[in-house]
Amino acid sequence: MLEKEVKILNSLGIHARPASMIVKLASKFDSHIELEKDNVRVNAKSIMGVLMLASEEGDKIKIIANGKDEEEAVKALVELIEKRKFDEE
């Protein structure tokens, strides 16, 4: 199992479009992937789950991946969230 904490950097947080980007990216991997914020853990492949986190700019979320491609999955999600900022800025 691999875990990595990331900070939400885009100004609008995780609204519908970024949530769909997370789900689409997470679904490409075989690993079980979850996101956790404030002790609430959700399936990263569920748009309803990702939206339930109500993550805003500055919030920290934890990516938890477990499976054969966990390292690649966490790396790709970190890239999307922290480096690309969901391609919004």
Side-chain angles (χ1 to χ4, degrees):
M1 178 170 28
L2 187 62
E3 297 182 6
K4 173 81 174 171
E5 187 172 87
V6 293
K7 187 174 184 179
I8 305 302
L9 300 173
N10 64 315
S11 60
L12 297 176
I14 299 180
H15 55 86
R17 186 176 164 278
S20 70
M21 293 173 81
I22 289 172
V23 170
K24 186 175 179 180
L25 182 59
S27 296
K28 292 180 180 179
F29 298 97
D30 292 331
S31 294
H32 179 70
I33 306 169
E34 294 181 320
L35 302 178
E36 182 180 297
K37 178 188 154 210
D38 299 333
N39 295 319
V40 175
R41 194 178 280 201
V42 300
N43 183 346
K45 298 178 183 179
S46 163
I47 195 160
M48 292 304 293
V50 174
L51 287 171
M52 280 179 41
L53 293 178
S55 298
E56 299 177 348
E57 182 181 19
D59 286 346
K60 291 182 180 177
I61 61 172
K62 188 184 298 181
I63 303 165
I64 304 129
N66 189 10
K68 65 180 181 181
D69 54 2
E70 64 191 27
E71 191 170 323
E72 295 87 0
V74 169
K75 184 177 177 183
L77 286 166
V78 168
E79 170 85 16
L80 173 67
I81 295 169
E82 285 194 335
K83 294 184 180 169
R84 289 177 42 202
K85 301 178 190 174
F86 304 104
D87 300 330
E88 290 188 339
E89 297 177 22

